[in-house]
């Protein structure tokens, strides 16, 4: 006969023996109070399963140096060059547009060794069709190597087209290396990897997630979308290799995204990120000049490529966003699919709006991730109260990740405006200091705004209690999500 009281006693004993040590682990990690409180709530509200959830998704590895790439000669050179740029910035030939955001430039040099490059030509790619056309054209022209690093690489129509092109280029003698995130590209079959490797293409999954190793690796995903061709042409932005970026999804409609093509020295900066990640997944060093050509320092658009992730001591992209928003004098325009800002960035947005800076944010009204959508909605009322203008995108799903600040600072990249991108994922963003470029990106923002509806505070407060409850629950777990 089942003894319910005995079962309950054993259950609570196991709960105490597991939850209390894990709670101490969380406290000793010295995270933000918001994250600490959220995880302890999970331990209490979901006995035993909360412990498993923390062990799988919650452990913090930034300070443990799990993602070490020490020993790379090019990283030592990078640090020396960034130190030199910091010393010589006052005498540098950069224009007044660049000087106006000296604080952001210095920050990125310090927190991530992000070199300021000048010899760049940039092109904003406004959707999947334009992006893939440009990528295919560049890949066809490759002479020495093609490096790809993607969160999602689907073996669908667009994926198969790119794969066949890469196989063709490999037969021509071009080196091809691919990194795919093991979670984002989970659907890729073993035969896909086998076929590429048998034809001379090197491909590695980033941090394989296979039981029992799941506990330490599932939470840190490579969200970067990078292509570098011959060291001088690069792509970065929100678009992965998948049909949805061209055709959209039935439930969401068209897919609105933004990507960036770079020709010049900033492509070499993207290459630095790739080579570090390649060393991490393969143990191979790519430090020859054909992979990392010297910076030309030629005239062109000033760009810093910033890498963010657990492989850096600082949350570099989040800090750059904070400095940019805090220093804004006229406007801050942000497009993001997920809006779950850490406390410091939330405060920066509200402070800017209360200072009468024109702060506008566009997020999708429909999303591919329900919990993230509810979490995003949970911040809307607080932002509206401070004077931030919030818009819901109507023409499909907005997946773009970009920001324009004042007249000559803009950023496009892989980072969403949320906890996960800023604190956990491996990301890459281009920070551009140019009036013409910022104006172009602002035009894209205003076009997106035309396809959006502005949310009014009085209307938003009238939504039903069920919606508010759902958002509140998502808000609680947003620091962990």
């Amino acid at each position: 006969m089942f003894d319910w009281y005995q079962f309950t006693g054993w259950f609570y004993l196991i709960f105490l023996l597991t939850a209390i040590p894990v709670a101490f682990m969380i406290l000793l990690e010295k995270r933000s109070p918001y994250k600490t409180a959220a995880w302890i709530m999970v331990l209490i509200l979901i006995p035993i399963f909360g412990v498993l959830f923390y062990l799988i998704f919650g452990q913090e590895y930034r300070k443990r140096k799990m993602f070490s790439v020490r020993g790379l000669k090019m990283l030592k050179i990078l640090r020396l060059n960034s130190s030199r740029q910091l010393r010589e910035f006052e005498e540098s030939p950069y224009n007044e547009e660049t000087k106006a955001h000296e604080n952001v430039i210095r920050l990125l040099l310090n927190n991530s060794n992000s070199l300021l490059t000048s010899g760049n030509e940039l092109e904003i790619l406004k959707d999947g069709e334009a992006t893939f056309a440009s990528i295919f054209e560049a890949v066809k022209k490759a002479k020495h190597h093609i490096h790809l690093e993607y969160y999602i690489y689907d073996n669908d129509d667009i994926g198969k087209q790119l794969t066949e092109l890469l196989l063709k280029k490999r037969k021509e003698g071009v080196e091809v290396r691919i990194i795919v995130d093991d979670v984002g590209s989970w659907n890729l079959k073993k035969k896909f990897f086998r076929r590429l490797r048998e034809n001379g293409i090197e491909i590695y999954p980033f941090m394989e997630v296979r039981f029992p190793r799941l506990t330490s690796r599932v939470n840190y995903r490579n969200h970067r979308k990078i292509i570098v061709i011959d060291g001088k042409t690069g792509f970065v932005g929100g678009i992965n290799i998948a049909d949805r970026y061209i055709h959209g999804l039935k439930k969401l409609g068209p897919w609105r995204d933004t990507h960036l093509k770079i020709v010049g020295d900033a492509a070499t900066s993207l290459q630095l990120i790739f080579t570090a990640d390649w060393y991490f997944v393969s143990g191979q060093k790519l430090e020859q000049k054909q992979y990392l050509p010297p910076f030309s320092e030629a005239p062109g658009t000033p760009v810093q490529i910033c890498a963010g992730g657990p492989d850096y001591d600082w949350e570099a992209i989040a800090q750059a966003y904070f400095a940019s928003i805090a220093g804004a004098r006229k406007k801050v325009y942000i497009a993001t699919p997920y809006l779950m800002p850490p406390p410091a960035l939330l405060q920066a947005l509200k402070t800017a709006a209360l200072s009468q800076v024109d702060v506008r944010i566009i997020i999708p009204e429909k999303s591919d991730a329900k919990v993230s959508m509810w979490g995003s909605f949970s911040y809307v009322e607080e932002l509206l109260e401070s004077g931030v203008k919030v818009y819901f995108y109507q023409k499909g799903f907005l997946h773009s990740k970009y920001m324009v600040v004042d007249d000559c600072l803009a950023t496009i990249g892989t980072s969403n405006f949320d906890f996960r991108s800023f604190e956990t994922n491996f990301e890459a963003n281009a920070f551009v200091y140019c009036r013409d470029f910022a104006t172009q990106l602002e035009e894209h923002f205003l076009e997106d705004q035309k396809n959006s509806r502005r949310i009014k505070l009085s209307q938003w407060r009238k939504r039903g209690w069920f919606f508010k409850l759902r958002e509140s629950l998502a808000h609680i777990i947003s620091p962990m999500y």
Side-chain angles (χ1 to χ4, degrees):
M1 182 176 179
F2 180 75
D3 190 332
W4 173 256
Y5 292 103
Q6 186 177 15
F7 171 79
T8 304
W10 279 108
F11 181 86
Y12 280 109
L13 178 62
I14 295 170
F15 169 63
L16 291 173
L17 291 175
T18 55
I20 291 175
V22 170
F24 274 108
M25 288 170 58
I26 294 170
L27 290 170
L28 291 172
E29 285 180 341
K30 295 181 181 178
R31 306 186 189 199
S32 71
Y34 301 92
K35 275 196 169 184
T36 301
W39 276 113
I40 290 178
M41 280 187 66
V42 168
L43 293 180
I44 295 170
L45 296 175
I46 316 175
I48 300 178
F49 295 103
V51 173
L52 295 174
F53 192 69
Y54 168 77
L55 293 175
I56 294 172
F57 294 105
Q59 297 184 72
E60 176 63 69
Y61 286 95
R62 182 184 300 278
K63 295 179 181 179
R64 303 186 201 177
K65 305 296 183 185
M66 177 181 176
F67 308 97
S68 176
V69 287
R70 290 178 182 177
L72 286 182
K73 177 183 174 183
M74 57 89 174
L75 291 182
K76 296 177 183 177
I77 296 172
L78 183 63
R79 283 191 286 272
L80 289 173
N81 285 336
S82 62
S83 298
R84 176 181 59 81
Q85 281 198 343
L86 279 166
R87 292 194 304 270
E88 298 176 355
F89 189 80
E90 293 299 329
E91 292 78 33
S92 65
Y94 298 111
N95 56 33
E96 291 303 316
E97 297 173 0
T98 307
K99 295 281 190 179
H101 296 284
E102 179 180 349
N103 64 321
V104 179
I105 294 168
R106 288 184 177 278
L107 170 66
L108 290 174
L109 284 167
N110 271 311
N111 67 10
S112 57
N113 301 124
S114 301
L115 293 179
L116 179 62
T117 62
S118 59
N120 300 293
E121 296 179 7
L122 307 180
E123 181 184 356
I124 300 171
L125 304 167
K126 67 177 184 178
D127 55 31
E129 190 172 343
T131 298
F132 289 121
S134 187
I135 287 173
F136 276 58
E137 180 185 8
V139 168
K140 288 175 183 176
K141 295 178 180 178
K143 301 297 183 185
H144 183 265
H145 65 267
I146 302 165
H147 292 160
L148 299 91
E149 181 171 353
Y150 275 91
Y151 178 63
I152 297 172
Y153 193 126
D154 280 352
N155 193 27
D156 52 15
D157 288 345
I158 196 67
K160 288 175 180 175
Q161 289 178 44
L162 180 58
T163 300
E164 293 305 318
L165 179 56
L166 293 174
L167 289 166
K168 180 175 181 293
K169 296 303 294 185
R170 185 68 194 101
K171 287 181 180 179
E172 294 173 5
V174 176
E175 298 174 6
V176 181
R177 298 178 179 89
I178 304 172
I179 301 171
V180 294
D181 185 79
D182 195 57
V183 172
S185 300
W186 187 275
N187 291 326
L188 289 179
K189 306 298 183 184
K190 288 183 179 179
K191 63 181 181 181
F192 175 85
F193 289 87
R194 185 167 58 248
R195 182 189 178 209
L196 293 185
R197 287 167 179 159
E198 287 174 351
N199 284 276
I201 292 177
E202 296 183 83
I203 180 169
Y204 286 88
F206 188 89
M207 293 181 63
E208 288 184 272
V209 176
R210 299 290 184 271
F211 292 98
R213 290 180 289 168
L214 173 65
T215 55
S216 66
R217 300 191 172 203
V218 73
N219 201 31
Y220 294 89
R221 304 321 319 161
N222 191 327
H223 197 240
R224 292 167 182 161
K225 300 110 180 149
I226 293 173
I227 295 182
V228 183
I229 298 162
D230 294 339
K232 279 299 180 182
T233 300
F235 296 84
V236 66
I239 296 177
N240 287 287
I241 307 300
D243 284 350
R244 76 194 75 164
Y245 294 88
I246 298 177
H247 306 302
L249 295 172
K250 286 183 179 180
K251 293 182 179 179
L252 300 178
W255 196 285
R256 166 73 183 98
D257 222 318
T258 305
H259 222 68
L260 180 66
K261 179 183 179 182
I262 301 169
V263 178
D265 290 347
T268 304
S269 295
L270 285 175
Q271 185 87 298
L272 287 166
I273 297 173
F274 179 88
T275 53
D277 290 345
W278 187 254
Y279 176 69
F280 178 70
V281 298
S282 72
Q284 302 172 15
K285 297 181 181 181
L286 304 175
E287 298 182 323
Q288 298 88 340
K289 285 185 179 180
Q290 58 264 40
Y291 303 116
L292 299 167
F295 291 106
S296 68
E297 300 184 1
T301 304
V303 179
Q304 279 178 295
I305 299 295
C306 177
D311 48 346
Y312 285 83
D313 292 330
W314 303 99
E315 292 162 6
I317 295 175
Q319 289 180 342
Y321 268 80
F322 177 86
S324 302
I325 295 166
R329 295 294 176 265
K330 298 178 182 178
K331 62 195 170 193
V332 176
Y333 294 166
I334 297 171
T336 180
Y338 315 113
L339 179 67
M340 291 177 280
L345 280 164
L346 180 63
Q347 190 72 0
L349 290 169
K350 294 191 296 184
T351 302
L354 289 167
S355 303
Q356 295 192 316
V357 174
D358 182 11
V359 183
R360 307 182 193 183
I361 302 175
I362 304 176
I363 60 175
E365 183 152 25
K366 297 183 292 184
S367 178
D368 63 337
K370 291 292 185 182
V371 176
S372 294
M373 181 181 72
W374 300 333
S376 297
F377 290 170
S378 73
Y379 290 89
V380 169
E381 185 168 339
E382 188 175 356
L383 291 167
L384 292 174
E385 288 173 341
S386 67
V388 175
K389 303 178 183 72
V390 179
Y391 299 83
F392 285 179
Y393 189 76
Q394 304 288 289
K395 200 175 178 180
F397 176 53
L398 178 78
H399 192 253
S400 296
K401 313 152 196 304
Y402 64 84
M403 178 175 72
V404 180
V405 176
D406 291 343
D407 297 322
C408 50
L409 170 59
T411 179
I412 298 177
T414 69
S415 179
N416 300 312
F417 206 90
D418 66 5
F419 284 93
R420 176 162 288 279
S421 279
F422 288 141
E423 299 178 359
T424 305
N425 285 344
F426 293 77
E427 307 281 2
N429 268 52
F431 286 81
V432 184
Y433 311 95
C434 173
R435 187 180 302 272
D436 288 344
F437 184 85
T439 300
Q440 288 180 50
L441 194 56
E442 181 178 335
E443 289 172 358
H444 284 268
F445 181 90
L446 295 176
E447 185 65 28
D448 288 335
Q449 184 180 306
K450 288 179 183 176
N451 293 315
S452 307
R453 68 181 182 97
R454 183 176 173 183
I455 305 304
K456 299 290 186 178
L457 180 58
S458 58
Q459 296 172 334
W460 188 248
R461 283 176 171 165
K462 292 178 182 178
R463 68 200 189 283
W465 68 267
F466 177 73
F467 294 94
K468 293 179 180 179
L469 176 61
R470 192 169 59 184
E471 292 161 14
S472 296
L473 292 172
H475 189 87
I476 291 171
I477 67 171
S478 63
M480 309 175 297
Y481 193 69

